[in-house]
Amino acid sequence: MVRLRDATFRCALGRAGIRQHKEEGDNATPAGLLPLRRVLYRADRLTAPDCTVPVEPIGPRDGWCDDPTDKAYNRPVRLPYPGRHEELWRTDPLYDIIGVLGWNDQPVVRGLGSAIFLHLARPDYSPTEGCIALALPDLRALLGMRVTGFEVLL
């Protein structure tokens, strides 16, 4: 569950639970303060979400590097990209809205985890690979509450 002010939202977390010591590929959601850096969205499917951080549309060439050996680790990349990466323009709706959370980004440390996003949950709320996922109405409501970050507790 995500709690903000008087509201509680159902969410999915990483299949390995919450960990204090996050590592790349461990399928855990990191514990700690996760600032919301910006929000990305599929303009061909949805209107821009109302929020307090910068909002940008994504396109078919947008990706995110999750390769700890790559110089662009835990950074956005343009596709095609030679290093291991995630495609942000997905056929399913999970990344129709992406809140880029500030995890391992200032500075980036190789191997401590990448692409920790706030995104849309699957209908059954099955676990993520480490992200925080909510239903579309809940994610829009949460962003509309002018949230600037999250504290994930063990």
Side-chain angles (χ1 to χ4, degrees):
M1 296 295 206
V2 172
R3 290 188 187 100
L4 182 63
R5 300 182 192 111
D6 294 331
T8 301
F9 303 99
R10 182 178 179 193
C11 70
L13 298 173
R15 68 179 46 89
I18 299 169
R19 289 198 182 152
Q20 187 72 40
H21 303 288
K22 169 87 180 130
E23 295 179 8
E24 185 65 43
D26 66 2
N27 291 311
T29 300
L33 186 59
L34 304 176
L36 181 62
R37 302 284 191 216
R38 62 190 170 129
V39 172
L40 310 173
Y41 74 104
R42 288 277 304 254
D44 63 317
R45 293 182 178 172
L46 303 170
T47 59
D50 177 35
C51 59
T52 193
V53 298
V55 178
E56 305 166 40
I58 59 171
R61 295 190 57 217
D62 290 319
W64 199 275
C65 181
D66 60 6
D67 183 346
T69 65
D70 194 279
K71 64 182 180 195
Y73 178 58
N74 201 25
R75 299 276 185 243
V77 294
R78 297 294 284 169
L79 304 179
Y81 190 76
R84 192 179 75 206
H85 61 275
E86 286 195 51
E87 293 182 16
L88 301 185
W89 188 269
R90 295 172 59 126
T91 56
D92 66 26
L94 296 186
Y95 283 1
D96 283 1
I97 297 178
I98 304 168
V100 178
L101 297 174
W103 172 256
N104 189 31
D105 65 341
Q106 293 183 351
V108 172
V109 177
R110 295 185 190 286
L112 290 187
S114 63
I116 302 300
F117 298 141
L118 181 67
H119 64 73
L120 298 179
R122 290 179 176 86
D124 65 355
Y125 288 86
S126 58
T128 70
E129 293 181 18
C131 296
I132 301 168
L134 293 91
L136 178 60
D138 292 343
L139 183 52
R140 282 194 177 275
L142 187 70
L143 293 172
M145 294 172 82
R146 317 312 273 176
V147 66
T148 59
F150 300 88
E151 185 173 14
V152 178
L153 304 172
L154 288 171

